[in-house]
């Protein structure tokens, strides 16, 4: 490779990543802030029970948790974004440094309730992407044999929303057998996997939260003015 020049690069906005830049900021000392979403409105929702179990684990690991109740959340575009439940969800998304999404698998996919919540979280507010750089852990519950359709779908959405989706994930088959009469998850290898996922989420959140601005700083966007960026990312809803 004789020619190592980069004639297409704007030198003013080009920057080579470095360890010094990644670890420049002092780590925060407050507890990691984790928002948990579940995808069912049933009175005994196993996705909600799984989220509650995850929240207990996260709290034991030093995190601060909040669980959003999707009951009363309107369909996207059926109401204005000023709707109280929409504002509650968006405020929690903004507050959070990481999230847990847990959906039942229905007809081989995540539920509509789960997708409605995700759709109400905006991709952009002005030139800022509210979910960008936040961590994400994925879980699903199934009524039958183990499947990964819902977590795979949600992983695509997490990437689309520019979240740092952790490698580990949890899928709980025959969820009705995994919770006792007190709505607590029984000890099993499936429970141990939930512990693993929450542990990994806290680790990634601690690693990423003070560096998300640097990790998501991009050459192409540095070339654009703030006005151009805002115009590009704030397209009218389709």
């Amino acid at each position: 490779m004789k020619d190592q020049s980069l004639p297409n690069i704007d030198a003013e906005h080009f920057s080579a990543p470095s360890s010094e830049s990644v670890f420049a900021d002092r780590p925060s000392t407050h507890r990691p802030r984790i928002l948990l979403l579940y995808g069912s409105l049933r009175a005994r929702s196993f996705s909600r029970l799984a989220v509650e179990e995850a929240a207990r684990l996260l709290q034991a690991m030093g995190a601060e948790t909040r669980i959003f109740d999707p009951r009363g959340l309107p369909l996207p575009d059926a109401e204005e974004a000023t709707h109280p439940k929409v504002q509650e969800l968006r405020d929690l998304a903004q507050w959070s440094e990481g999230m847990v999404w847990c959906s039942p698998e229905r007809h081989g996919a995540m539920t509509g309730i789960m997708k409605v919540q995700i759709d109400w979280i905006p991709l952009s507010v002005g030139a800022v992407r509210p979910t960008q750089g936040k961590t994400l852990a994925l879980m699903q519950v199934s009524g039958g044999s183990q499947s990964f359709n819902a977590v795979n779908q949600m992983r695509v959405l997490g990437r689309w929303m520019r979240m740092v989706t952790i490698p580990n994930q949890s899928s709980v088959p025959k969820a009705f057998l995994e919770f006792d009469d007190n709505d607590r998850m029984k000890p099993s290898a499936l429970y141990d996997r939930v512990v693993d996922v929450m542990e990994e989420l806290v680790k990634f959140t601690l690693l990423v939260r003070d560096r998300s601005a640097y990790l998501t700083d991009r050459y192409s966007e540095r070339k654009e003015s703030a006005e151009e960026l805002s115009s590009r990312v704030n397209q009218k809803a389709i």
Side-chain angles (χ1 to χ4, degrees):
M1 186 172 61
K2 294 180 180 180
D3 186 359
Q4 294 183 315
S5 65
L6 299 171
N8 297 328
I9 287 290
D10 184 338
E12 181 183 354
H13 298 99
F14 181 77
S15 176
S18 67
S19 295
E20 290 77 10
S21 298
V22 171
F23 297 102
D25 294 330
R26 290 185 177 182
S28 298
T29 57
H30 64 272
R31 292 186 293 164
R33 300 192 294 260
I34 307 297
L35 170 63
L36 300 96
L37 307 180
Y38 60 92
S40 169
L41 299 181
R42 288 183 176 182
R44 193 170 189 241
S45 161
F46 292 109
S47 61
R48 175 176 56 80
L49 297 183
V51 153
E52 290 175 351
E53 204 68 48
R56 294 184 187 99
L57 291 165
L58 289 166
Q59 291 168 13
M61 295 174 189
E64 181 180 359
T65 64
R66 297 185 187 178
I67 299 173
F68 177 72
D69 180 358
R71 195 174 304 275
L73 185 68
L75 290 172
D77 303 324
E79 298 282 350
E80 297 295 327
T82 53
H83 187 282
K85 288 299 290 187
V86 175
Q87 282 300 303
E88 178 188 353
L89 175 59
R90 291 187 172 190
D91 288 346
L92 287 172
Q94 192 68 36
W95 165 85
S96 70
E97 296 169 326
M99 297 188 195
V100 176
W101 296 350
C102 181
S103 177
E105 181 171 317
R106 185 170 296 166
H107 298 312
M110 77 179 82
T111 62
I113 300 298
M114 193 75 231
K115 186 61 162 57
V116 164
Q117 294 175 82
I118 296 169
D119 283 348
W120 268 122
I121 300 173
L123 288 174
S124 61
V125 177
V128 178
R129 295 179 178 86
T131 53
Q132 177 170 259
K134 297 180 188 290
T135 53
L136 173 64
L138 302 173
M139 303 170 61
Q140 75 167 72
V141 295
S142 304
S145 59
Q146 192 170 46
S147 170
F148 298 92
N149 289 322
V151 288
N152 287 339
Q153 278 192 322
M154 292 187 290
R155 191 169 291 276
V156 170
L157 290 172
R159 184 173 70 245
W160 183 262
M161 298 172 78
R162 297 189 176 182
M163 302 182 77
V164 180
T165 309
I166 67 170
N168 214 339
Q169 60 189 25
S170 169
S171 174
V172 181
K174 296 182 180 179
F176 59 92
L177 297 177
E178 299 302 324
F179 292 85
D180 63 24
D181 292 339
N182 295 315
D183 290 340
R184 295 299 306 271
M185 194 169 182
K186 300 174 184 177
S188 67
L190 295 168
Y191 175 82
D192 292 347
R193 174 58 69 89
V194 175
V195 179
D196 288 348
V197 173
M198 294 308 111
E199 182 180 22
E200 188 170 293
L201 176 63
V202 173
K203 289 177 180 178
F204 270 75
T205 304
L206 291 170
L207 181 65
V208 168
R209 66 178 180 178
D210 296 309
R211 304 173 178 93
S212 61
Y214 177 73
L215 294 174
T216 57
D217 180 39
R218 299 175 181 86
Y219 166 76
S220 61
E221 293 174 1
R222 289 195 298 271
K223 285 179 62 181
E224 293 180 300
S225 68
E227 182 179 352
E228 289 171 332
L229 177 60
S230 180
S231 176
R232 180 172 62 79
V233 300
N234 284 297
Q235 301 179 43
K236 292 183 178 179
I238 297 175

